[in-house]
Amino acid sequence: MPITAQAFWVLSPGRGAICRQELPPRSPDQLLVRTLYSGISRGTESLVFRGGVPLDLADSMACPMQEGGFPGPVKYGYALVGQVEAGPEALIGRRVFALHPHQDLCLIDEATCRLIPDGVPARRAVLAANMETALNILWDGGAGPGQRIAIVGAGLVGCLVARLAARLPGVELTLVDIDPTRADLARHLGAGFVLAGECGALARSCDLVIHCSASGEGLSTAIALAGTEATLVEASWYGDRPVTIALGGHFHPSRLRIISSQVGMVANNQRPRWNFARRLDKALQLLDDPALDRLLETEIPFADLPAAMAALADGRGMPPGCPVVCYPPVDLQEAACIP
């Protein structure tokens, strides 16, 4: 008997809907997964919802299990946590993470699912893709013990980078943001906090600066913080928005280095030994940290996702952090009978 799933689609720029679709028969190498939670990547998914993905970057912006294409209709997302309902007996009832769009019932290749460690709650596991990004950023920047590190932009990715960097011995770590209410969160994550307009004491003194604010003003602040021959990692994604920054002043005399970090490739200094599966498994292990629950303050019922995405894309009424989409619970004993 065919199985009907419900999935969130961007039908056209600025317009989304929950759509029904019939799943094909399950192949032997696929798992049937009932979704528990999915996470929204604020920057990337807002860009997709607005229709802001540059057409020449459509291939590199595609997520692994995307359907359709930009600017729409497209089914997009990459932070799904669910429970296995059909597949190998040893996996029935196990919790898995997959880079899959928002959908209540999914057929996913077993090889692309990653088991969630026992110590990581299902809700927190939606951060896995963003944690993977944060790990890659620190690798790209060559972060190490004892460094003075500044992170400009205390959004989700910036906060995850900060939490990882705080574990480095002897690090001097500061989160920089325009919002003073982020100070308490910074301390909770093990970092100091400075307002963007008041970081003169850090000027030209940092060994590593990581920019996550997705604004030209933030990038200019990051440049001002970098010390002589320091590295600045540009971790923001701007899509089709132009960015203007000033490269005068101390940029050239200080021989600064700006590098990009993008999760689509494993950082060059790790690539000979790490593949995507190993990196994602490590990201899931790093989520065994209750402090990260502060980044999951917004919960959205799946049925409300179209309106929530519109609000997020417009910057209306959505507190910082990772919005978590929750799905109605299901009786596993009943669901396990699905062939």
Side-chain angles (χ1 to χ4, degrees), residues 9-16 47-53 55 58 66-76:
W9 284 75
V10 178
L11 302 179
S12 60
R15 188 166 70 96
L47 193 74
V48 171
F49 189 82
R50 293 193 304 264
V53 175
L55 293 181
Q66 172 182 316
E67 292 183 38
F70 307 116
V74 62
K75 185 171 75 173
Y76 193 89

Side-chain angles (χ1 to χ4, degrees), residues 149 151 158-159 162-163 165-166 171-176 182-194:
I149 299 174
I151 301 164
C159 285
R163 185 60 177 171
V171 72
E172 299 175 34
L173 178 64
T174 306
L175 261 173
V176 179
R182 308 298 276 168
D184 180 63
L185 177 59
R187 288 189 290 270
H188 175 76
L189 297 172
F193 180 83
V194 175

Side-chain angles (χ1 to χ4, degrees), residues 60 62 132-133 136 140 261-267 271 276 279:
S60 61
E132 189 178 18
T133 298
N136 216 51
D140 277 323
S261 182
Q262 208 278 336
V263 75
M265 290 187 180
V266 176
R271 206 175 301 159
F276 292 124
R279 188 181 63 181

Side-chain angles (χ1 to χ4, degrees), residues 26-48:
R26 184 178 66 84
S27 65
D29 59 351
Q30 287 182 317
L31 306 177
L32 180 65
V33 176
R34 175 75 63 176
T35 307
L36 302 172
Y37 300 98
S38 59
I40 300 174
S41 177
R42 283 174 168 270
T44 306
E45 292 194 53
S46 293
L47 193 74
V48 171

Side-chain angles (χ1 to χ4, degrees), residues 3-338:
I3 300 172
T4 300
Q6 297 183 91
F8 173 71
W9 284 75
V10 178
L11 302 179
S12 60
R15 188 166 70 96
I18 305 293
C19 301
R20 292 183 179 275
Q21 57 186 97
E22 190 174 294
L23 299 182
R26 184 178 66 84
S27 65
D29 59 351
Q30 287 182 317
L31 306 177
L32 180 65
V33 176
R34 175 75 63 176
T35 307
L36 302 172
Y37 300 98
S38 59
I40 300 174
S41 177
R42 283 174 168 270
T44 306
E45 292 194 53
S46 293
L47 193 74
V48 171
F49 189 82
R50 293 193 304 264
V53 175
L55 293 181
D56 60 334
L57 294 178
D59 289 342
S60 61
M61 277 288 295
C63 60
M65 298 179 207
Q66 172 182 316
E67 292 183 38
F70 307 116
V74 62
K75 185 171 75 173
Y76 193 89
Y78 47 82
L80 185 143
V81 172
Q83 194 167 36
V84 177
E85 294 192 348
E89 185 176 350
L91 293 179
I92 301 295
R94 297 294 300 275
R95 302 171 309 143
V96 294
F97 176 87
L99 299 169
H100 194 287
H102 308 282
Q103 185 168 314
D104 64 348
L105 196 60
C106 318
L107 287 175
I108 309 175
D109 290 346
E110 181 182 347
T112 64
C113 288
R114 313 310 300 170
L115 289 173
I116 297 171
D118 291 340
V120 177
R123 189 170 181 268
R124 194 188 306 153
V126 301
L127 294 173
N130 295 111
M131 179 61 87
E132 189 178 18
T133 298
L135 180 61
N136 216 51
I137 288 168
L138 285 179
W139 284 346
D140 277 323
Q147 288 184 329
R148 180 173 294 162
I149 299 174
I151 301 164
V152 179
L156 177 60
V157 171
C159 285
L160 288 171
V161 173
R163 185 60 177 171
L164 292 183
R167 300 181 180 185
L168 295 170
V171 72
E172 299 175 34
L173 178 64
T174 306
L175 261 173
V176 179
D177 201 89
I178 61 174
D179 183 357
T181 67
R182 308 298 276 168
D184 180 63
L185 177 59
R187 288 189 290 270
H188 175 76
L189 297 172
F193 180 83
V194 175
L195 280 171
E198 301 175 4
C199 47
L202 280 177
R204 305 187 189 186
S205 70
C206 295
D207 303 294
L208 172 63
V209 183
I210 295 165
H211 178 237
C212 303
S213 83
S215 70
E217 295 82 3
L219 183 52
S220 293
T221 296
I223 290 171
L225 300 181
T228 301
E229 299 201 356
T231 295
L232 192 162
V233 179
E234 175 52 275
S236 298
W237 171 242
Y238 301 93
D240 59 357
R241 291 184 294 119
V243 177
T244 301
I245 58 170
L247 294 180
H250 85 115
F251 178 78
H252 281 91
S254 296
R255 295 173 52 86
L256 302 185
R257 184 171 72 116
I258 301 178
I259 64 171
S260 65
S261 182
Q262 208 278 336
V263 75
M265 290 187 180
V266 176
N268 185 60
N269 57 7
Q270 305 292 335
R271 206 175 301 159
R273 300 167 303 282
W274 289 74
N275 58 21
F276 292 124
R278 183 184 177 192
R279 188 181 63 181
L280 185 50
D281 283 339
K282 179 56 65 176
L284 282 161
Q285 292 169 18
L286 291 168
L287 293 177
D288 191 357
D289 180 0
L292 299 177
D293 290 336
R294 280 282 297 274
L295 303 176
L296 300 168
E297 295 179 349
T298 303
E299 195 161 289
I300 301 163
F302 179 50
D304 296 343
L305 186 51
M309 278 302 309
L312 187 64
D314 291 344
R316 295 182 282 110
M318 191 81 70
C322 176
V324 178
V325 182
C326 55
Y327 295 71
V330 94
D331 185 338
L332 181 62
Q333 285 200 320
E334 178 184 343
C337 298
I338 297 173

